[in-house]
């Protein structure tokens, strides 16, 4: 990501120059406009016949000179910006390798079936982002047919999220009440947090909403056992309603970041009910590729320099392990410490009597005359006593 940071720094310099150029241009042009308007006002007020022609000539000449200098100055500074823009392009060329085919399998998307999967993934991403018209256009051009049952949940999800961004809680509350039991099965606190936020919005309206807030507090009854402390805080804030919650010890209830938080909670729980990941698979794949690509390009360069072309022969396997961070951990993976390869259904992990775990292929290779000596401890054992691990 260092390369991205380097390009971003150059881009920030260009944007700063654009902003400064815009402010300076506006100031100079406003100044010229005022000067021209003053001259025009004098001519209208006194008339050309009453004015001293020599003075008028000098004034007009000076005005034209100022206009010419301003135009030249703006053109010069605009030319300097072009130089900064070209530096961004050079930074991109310097930090990014345009040719990545050496680390990409040529046959990844060579079949219609795989191309169909890619198009469906992109369409799903567009639906998640609320770009419905773009998704429809892609379906028409690619020939992908998306069932309405798959499309409808995303339409509802985006409708509710858009309402939450506008600080309208009603669609989300209706959805939460409809799916109350399923949310409870997930141990979700979404419905309570929505009621809590609606109650806070009533508090922010001042003393005029006191009765409405007291009546709305009845919605907290089903959540009294799980959220007793939160409900006590909300009810205690009513004491300060006359003086304003913002001037009370409960001012933290009015923090604006609660709206972004409720959007994230709704997205997480709604996706869980739909059996979807919180983040788009396309976004996760793209982010993972951005982290892995620089490492793979460096490995490719080392392999070429040392003339070790046989080290990496399969494009569907990585020559090294790349840490993508815990954010990209979606399932457990066990790598055999002996053969240094990931286990699979055909080659599962096996636990020895001594407690060490190796793959079945390693177990078979280490077995000699019906006996096995653990490679990590001197204990000899019968390989048939090893147990398969499931995870």
């Amino acid at each position: 990501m260092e390369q991205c940071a380097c390009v971003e720094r150059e881009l920030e310099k260009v944007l700063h120059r654009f902003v400064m150029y815009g402010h300076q241009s506006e100031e100079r042009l406003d100044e010229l406009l005022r000067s021209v308007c003053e001259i025009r006002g004098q001519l209208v007020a006194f008339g050309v016949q009453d004015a001293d022609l020599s003075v008028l000539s000098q004034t007009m000449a000076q005005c034209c000179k100022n206009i010419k200098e301003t135009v030249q100055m703006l053109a010069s500074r605009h030319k300097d910006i072009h130089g900064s823009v070209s530096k961004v392009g050079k930074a991109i060329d310097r930090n990014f390798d345009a040719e990545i085919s050496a680390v990409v399998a040529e046959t990844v998307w060579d079949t219609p079936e795989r191309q169909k999967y890619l198009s469906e993934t992109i369409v799903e991403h567009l639906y998640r982002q609320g770009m419905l018209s773009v998704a429809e256009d892609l379906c028409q051009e690619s020939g992908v047919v998306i069932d309405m049952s798959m499309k409808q949940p995303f339409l509802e999800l985006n409708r509710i999220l858009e309402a939450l961004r506008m600080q309208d809680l009603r669609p989300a509350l209706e959805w939460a009440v409809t799916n109350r039991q399923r949310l409870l099965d997930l141990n979700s606190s979404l419905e309570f947090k929505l009621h809590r936020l609606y109650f806070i919005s009533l508090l922010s309206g001042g003393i005029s909403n006191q009765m409405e807030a007291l009546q709305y507090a009845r919605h907290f009854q089903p959540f009294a056992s799980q959220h007793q402390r939160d409900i006590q805080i909300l009810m205690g804030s009513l004491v300060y309603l006359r003086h304003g919650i913002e001037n009370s010890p409960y001012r933290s209830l009015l923090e604006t970041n609660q709206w972004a938080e409720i959007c994230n909670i709704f997205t997480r729980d709604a996706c869980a009910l739909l059996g979807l990941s919180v983040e788009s698979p396309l976004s996760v794949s793209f982010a993972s590729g951005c982290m892995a690509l620089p490492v793979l390009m460096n490995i490719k360069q080392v392999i070429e320099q040392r003339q070790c072309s046989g080290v990496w022969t399969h494009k569907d396997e990585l020559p090294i392990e790349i840490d993508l961070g815990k954010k990209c951990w979606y399932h457990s993976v066990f790598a055999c410490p002996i053969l240094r390869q990931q286990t699979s259904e055909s080659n599962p992990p096996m636990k020895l009597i001594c407690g060490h775990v190796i793959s079945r292929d390693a177990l078979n290779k280490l077995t000699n005359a019906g006996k096995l000596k653990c490679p990590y401890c001197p204990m000899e054992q019968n390989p048939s006593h090893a147990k398969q691990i499931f995870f």
Side-chain angles (χ1 to χ4, degrees), residues 164-287:
L164 286 175
R165 295 188 185 103
M166 300 295 291
Q167 300 189 0
D168 181 6
L169 291 166
R170 287 173 297 178
L173 280 168
E174 292 173 0
W175 183 90
V177 171
T178 304
N179 296 278
R180 175 178 294 174
Q181 188 56 49
R182 297 175 66 191
L183 290 171
L184 290 175
D185 294 339
L186 292 174
N187 294 322
S188 169
S189 60
L190 173 63
E191 186 178 355
F192 170 74
K193 288 182 180 292
L194 288 169
H195 286 303
R196 175 182 177 274
L197 196 54
Y198 191 88
F199 185 84
I200 291 173
S201 66
L202 293 176
L203 294 179
S204 62
I207 192 66
S208 60
N209 291 339
Q210 184 176 19
M211 291 304 300
E212 186 179 356
L214 284 170
Q215 292 176 357
Y216 193 83
R218 298 174 181 174
H219 290 87
F220 295 137
Q221 185 177 358
F223 312 100
S225 57
Q226 297 97 338
H227 304 280
Q228 181 179 358
R229 179 58 181 164
D230 291 329
I231 295 173
Q232 289 174 346
I233 292 174
L234 292 172
M235 301 310 296
S237 65
L238 290 171
V239 178
Y240 296 90
L241 199 57
R242 184 176 299 277
H243 302 287
I245 301 298
E246 64 277 5
N247 302 318
S248 73
Y250 297 94
R251 65 177 66 91
S252 60
L253 293 175
L254 303 179
E255 293 179 353
T256 56
N257 61 353
Q258 296 179 102
W259 289 100
E261 181 185 354
I262 201 66
C263 287
N264 293 333
I265 294 174
F266 172 77
T267 303
R268 181 195 66 198
D269 292 350
C271 288
L273 292 186
L274 294 173
L276 301 170
S277 60
V278 177
E279 295 187 35
S280 162
L282 183 63
S283 299
V284 175
S285 301
F286 181 79

Side-chain angles (χ1 to χ4, degrees), residues 52-78:
D52 189 344
L53 293 179
S54 61
V55 175
L56 179 61
S57 177
Q58 292 177 1
T59 304
M60 295 296 292
Q62 183 63 37
C63 181
C64 292
K65 181 181 178 182
N66 291 339
I67 294 175
K68 186 175 180 181
E69 289 177 352
T70 301
V71 172
Q72 290 176 347
M73 183 271 292
L74 294 178
S76 176
R77 292 184 178 178
H78 193 270

